[in-house]
Structures are given as structure tokens and as C-alpha cells.
Amino acid sequence: MDFPSSLLDALRRARHVAALTGAGISAESGVPTFRDAQTGLWAQYRPEELATPQAFRRDPALVWNWYEWRRSLVRQAAPNPGHLALAHLEDRVPRVSVITQNVDGLHHRAGSTRIIELHGNIARTVCFDCRRQVESWAGDSRVPPHCPACDGLLRPDVVWFGELLPRAALAAAYEAAQQCDVFFSIGTSGLVEPAASLPFEALRAGAVVVEINPQATPLSDHATYVLRGPSGVVLPALLAAL
Ligand code: BJW
Ligand code: ZN
């Protein structure tokens, strides 16, 4: 795979690289993206319609079971060469910030050290009412189980549409976008705010912005470089070219 020499130079000079990742980076690990049609049991639902507090209020068991199914997919999944290449970029660049919209924890398992999780993590469970984090609900076979503290319903510790992103994570993401030399947007459709604004923030601040995605997105016409292809192929090739 050939890369523009100006891109390789920018990466070799970079002191701080930020990478915004979306569901596409985990696709090659077997974790389905959001805007792909779902399969099997879930084929009749659109993820956008399940990932909301309204959906949870309407049918908590449906939403809980959907997350149980996704938790089982994530448990079986392993980081792919794209996650691993981002982790290894830390050997080349003094500071690498991984800003992820994913809730699957695969960047941690790949060994990245500076990870900003914008939309939470599916492995954690909190109470819908009192927001306490709950570690165990052994013996409670209700679906969803109830909060030991207030009897509210338990839910995954993720950010649904209409909910606020964790304040510290969002602040750290903006800071990384504004301070990095090179900003990657990898495997995200760029449709969901506020994450979708981060590459534009980086552009405004003068960073080189690189999109890695097999498909065009609203960012494509604005990015400094567009690398069309799966991130599990493009990222390792880019690292090797460095
Ligand atoms: C590959 C590949 C391979 C495939 N290699 N690539 C401003 C304007 C309009 C609306 C809003 C706005 N500000 C806020 C809103 C409302 C809303 C929003 O953005 N709506 C839009 C849909 C219009 N945002 C919110 O509500 C956010 N909260 C908020 O802003 O609070 C304040 C506020 C509220 C209300 C109004 C105004 C302000 C919260 C957003 C939370 C998103 N939550 C989810 C679920 C998380 C939990 C879970 O996992 O279940 O996050 S939804 C879902 O979308 C998930 C994802 O993180 C997120 C982004 O999706 P992503 O990662 O981009 O995946 P896909 O599937 O869309 O794309 C995959 C891409 O991969 C594709 O491009 C493929 O081509 C590519 N790909 N294979 C590389 N091998
Ligand atoms: Zn509670």
C-alpha cells in the first residue's frame, strides 16, 4: 500500500497524534457496526431505536437483552490488527490519544494507554434511577435485574441518544483535538454528535486530518488525506511504512 510522503513526514514529525474511532474499527473483530443491518434475532430492530432512554422505559427487557447479546459478542471478540497498530503507534509517537465512541473495551485489550471513552463501556452496569455502579446482581433473575440500593432497573453504563457524554471525557477529547498534530478519524460514519465535530475542531486548530474508512462520510471532502479501506489493513500498512 502506498501513502503520500507528505503524510508519512507529518506522522514522523508528530509529537501528539489523536485518533477518533468508531464501530468500523471493531468490525474486523466481528462486532457489528450500528448502521449495518442487524442479523438473526435482532434483524427487525434498528440500533438507533434501541439505544435511547425512551426505548429502555418502553421495553427495558428488550433493551437489556440486546446489550446481553452484544456483551457476549464482545466477550468472544479479540482486538484486530487495526486496534493493535494504534497501540503500537505509541512506540513511534510521544503521545497518542485514542478517543473512542466504542463501548467494547477492545482498545484497552490491544494495549493502548491513553483512551478516552466518549460513550461509556458495555462491561459496566449502573442503575437507571440512582446511577450507582453495580458489580453483581447474583440471585436476581429478573430482566433487567434491580438495583440493590434503590430497586431501580439496571442498565449498561453507556451513553444513549439525548443523554450527556461524560463531562471529563468530552473535555479531554476536545483538548486532544485542539492540541494534536495529526488527527485520525477511523471507522466512524460521522453522524453522531458531539463526536462528529472533533475532526472539524482539529482542522480548525491546524492539525493534519486523516480519514480511514472504506466508505465516504461527511468528513471525506474536508480531510487532509482520505485512506479508503478497512482499518485492519490500512493502519498496519501505515505503521509499517513509517
Ligand atoms: C469500517 C469498516 C472497517 C465499516 N474499517 N471502517 C447536533 C445536531 C443534531 C443532533 C444533535 C446534535 N448534538 C446532539 C445531537 C443529538 C444526538 C445526535 O448526534 N443525533 C444525530 C443522529 C443527528 N446526540 C446525542 O444525543 C448525544 N448526546 C448529546 O449530544 O447530549 C446533549 C444533547 C442532547 C440532545 C440534543 C442536543 C444536545 C449522545 C450520543 C450517544 C450515541 N450513543 C450510541 C450508543 C452507545 C451505546 C451502545 O454502543 O449501544 O453510540 S449510538 C451509536 O452511534 C454509538 C456509536 O458510538 C455512535 C457512532 O456510530 P459509529 O461508531 O460512527 O458507527 P456507524 O455504524 O455509524 O459507522 C460505522 C462506520 O465504519 C461506517 O462509516 C463504515 O463505513 C465504517 N466501516 N467497516 C474501517 N473494516
Ligand atoms: Zn439505584
Side-chain angles (χ1 to χ4, degrees):
M1 214 169 169
D2 280 334
F3 298 101
S5 58
S6 52
L7 167 58
L8 297 175
D9 287 342
L11 276 170
R12 288 187 189 113
R13 278 196 309 267
R15 312 289 304 158
H16 182 185
V17 168
L20 172 68
T21 65
I25 197 170
S26 295
E28 289 155 272
S29 295
V31 182
T33 68
F34 283 87
R35 271 142 274 265
D36 286 344
Q38 300 206 90
T39 51
L41 208 53
W42 300 100
Q44 56 178 309
Y45 301 100
R46 292 177 59 225
E48 298 92 315
E49 290 164 0
L50 293 169
T52 72
Q54 292 80 8
F56 186 74
R57 278 198 198 91
R58 198 183 315 124
D59 194 341
L62 176 80
V63 175
W64 177 267
N65 283 333
W66 182 54
Y67 279 96
E68 283 282 78
W69 171 70
R70 289 179 51 209
R71 264 193 287 268
S72 75
L73 288 182
V74 165
R75 264 196 303 269
Q76 291 160 36
N80 67 56
H83 298 106
L84 296 169
L86 262 190
H88 288 136
L89 192 60
E90 294 186 13
D91 305 335
R92 297 298 188 121
V93 178
R95 182 169 173 193
V96 178
S97 307
V98 175
I99 307 164
T100 190
Q101 301 170 81
N102 300 344
V103 298
D104 56 28
L106 289 175
H107 288 300
H108 285 102
R109 287 168 57 192
S112 284
T113 59
R114 243 176 233 273
I115 302 169
I116 300 167
E117 289 183 323
L118 289 179
H119 294 164
N121 193 304
I122 200 173
R124 290 191 306 263
T125 299
V126 293
C127 172
F128 189 65
D129 289 337
C130 74
R131 276 281 161 182
R132 274 194 188 82
Q133 194 171 319
V134 177
E135 306 288 344
S136 156
W137 48 91
D140 186 348
S141 53
R142 289 169 290 184
V143 179
H146 290 221
C147 171
C150 79
D151 205 41
L153 298 179
L154 297 186
R155 58 166 284 179
D157 189 9
V158 299
V159 182
W160 285 330
F161 283 114
E163 296 184 322
L164 293 177
L165 277 65
R167 189 199 296 259
L170 188 59
Y174 267 95
E175 191 191 304
Q178 285 157 355
Q179 294 182 350
C180 67
D181 307 301
V182 179
F183 185 101
F184 284 97
S185 175
I186 306 169
T188 175
S189 56
L191 298 174
V192 175
E193 297 288 357
S197 295
L198 291 167
F200 293 92
E201 199 60 33
L203 275 173
R204 255 196 300 281
V208 167
V209 172
V210 187
E211 176 176 77
I212 301 180
N213 197 313
Q215 309 273 338
T217 76
L219 175 65
S220 303
D221 288 342
H222 306 272
T224 325
Y225 302 97
V226 174
L227 306 176
R228 284 270 168 264
S231 47
V233 173
V234 176
L235 276 168
L238 187 58
L239 200 74
L242 282 181

